[in-house]
Amino acid sequence: MKRNLYAAALLVLLALLLGGSGLYVQSTGAALRQGIDSAYSMTLQRDYTGARHAYLATWQSAEARGHVLRLFVRRALVDKLEETLATLAHYAHPDNQADLAVETARARAQIEEMTSSFWDGL
Amino acid sequence: MMTALLRTVLVYFAVIAAMRLMGKRQLGELQPAELVTALLISNVASICIEEPDLPLLASLTAIFLIAALEILNSSLTFYFPRYAQLLFGKPVTVVRGGRVDERALSYLRISAADLAEALRGRDIFDPRDAAWAVIETNGTLSVAPAPAPGMPPPMLPVLIGGHLYRDTLKALGKDDAWLDGLLAAQKLKRGDVLMLLHNGRTMYLSVKEKRPGRAGADENGENAGEGTA
């Protein structure tokens, strides 16, 4: 029966699509995490200008990937993460070290929440 | 706003594609499993349209997953009649030879008024005008009108797709030994029969081809047999 083949092909396609999108979410999360980690380490070395550029680059990268990410994970999670990333560059200042630490931790948690939301079970 | 519109258009085409993939079977007759499929797909589609926060892929994947499961499930019911019976139940005869079967009505939880209404819907105003009436697995009533004088009685199902209709055997006053003898005369086993109908005088016998997927070729009468018993 041809229809069975269609169904089997559809299941394979869905599995590939899910696997591919899962990998995309995972790699995007890893890239964003790496971006804010390296930016934060620059602030620890008192390279605030470099840190600001790194935070901005991470935010822009998140915005660029956000359109595709919204297909795979809840829109609210992506919006929240983008909002947090957008503010980080403004905290990269010697007077705001404590706030930057808090906001960076928040961004890390939001990235974690976003990636785990894709793979979470029931 | 544009998101909702775009999602609506996408979901509309996705649901059409899913229903098309499932075939006409899904549209023509709703068995319990098929009703569940239709309900689930419509719910997932409406949630996807109403809830823009939900990722589009999650909804589309769910719609096509349900469609694929429905196709595979219906194939299982095709290859395994016992599974089909478990899933869909079996037809129940409610009128036999013009007599209403009260036990069948009570089994189906259908009142006599409901039956009378359903019979009237088939232009049968007197149960004696029905030689045989059965509630099919999809809930519809099928009626064979009583034959006019001199005309042969309607053909009743005896063995279809491996399922033995004991009610019919009983109505014809036959038993398993008669059926096995009838098939042995044709050098057949029960499993070889695609469709065996009988009216007490003549029979219609259609034999399965070796490949189950080609069983429909019998409609051309290539291996259909008709004879007296």
Side-chain angles (χ1 to χ4, degrees), chain A residues 25-83:
Chain A
V25 173
Q26 200 82 34
S27 65
T28 302
L32 294 179
R33 203 176 299 117
Q34 196 182 356
I36 57 173
D37 282 351
S38 67
Y40 186 68
S41 65
M42 284 180 198
T43 62
L44 293 180
Q45 291 158 13
R46 304 200 173 274
D47 177 9
Y48 293 103
T49 313
R52 263 195 294 277
H53 285 301
Y55 278 127
L56 274 174
T58 309
W59 171 48
Q60 282 161 354
S61 165
E63 280 219 317
R65 292 172 180 233
H67 301 295
V68 181
L69 271 180
R70 283 180 180 86
L71 289 175
F72 310 140
V73 293
R74 281 188 176 271
R75 173 179 291 264
L77 295 178
V78 182
D79 289 347
K80 228 164 43 173
L81 175 63
E82 282 180 7
E83 281 166 19

Side-chain angles (χ1 to χ4, degrees), chain A residues 3-4 17 71 74-76, chain B residues 20-21 53-55 57 75:
Chain A
R3 227 174 271 273
N4 283 341
L17 191 65
L71 289 175
R74 281 188 176 271
R75 173 179 291 264
Chain B
R20 179 71 189 84
L21 201 65
D53 184 40
L54 208 63
L57 185 80
S75 296

Side-chain angles (χ1 to χ4, degrees), chain B residues 98-138:
Chain B
R99 289 175 65 96
V100 176
D101 186 339
E102 274 188 60
R103 286 172 64 183
L105 290 186
S106 126
Y107 170 72
L108 291 167
R109 283 167 287 136
I110 291 177
S111 70
D114 292 338
L115 176 65
E117 184 183 331
L119 284 170
R120 286 197 298 275
R122 308 301 301 268
D123 291 333
I124 303 281
F125 289 86
D126 181 343
R128 286 173 296 184
D129 293 340
W132 184 73
V134 63
I135 302 288
E136 303 289 1
T137 53
N138 60 4

Side-chain angles (χ1 to χ4, degrees), chain B residues 123-173:
Chain B
D123 291 333
I124 303 281
F125 289 86
D126 181 343
R128 286 173 296 184
D129 293 340
W132 184 73
V134 63
I135 302 288
E136 303 289 1
T137 53
N138 60 4
T140 57
L141 179 77
S142 300
V143 183
M151 296 299 288
M155 300 294 268
L156 301 181
V158 176
L159 186 64
I160 296 180
H163 178 66
L164 176 64
Y165 288 77
R166 290 202 176 276
D167 274 5
T168 310
L169 271 187
K170 201 174 158 190
L172 294 171

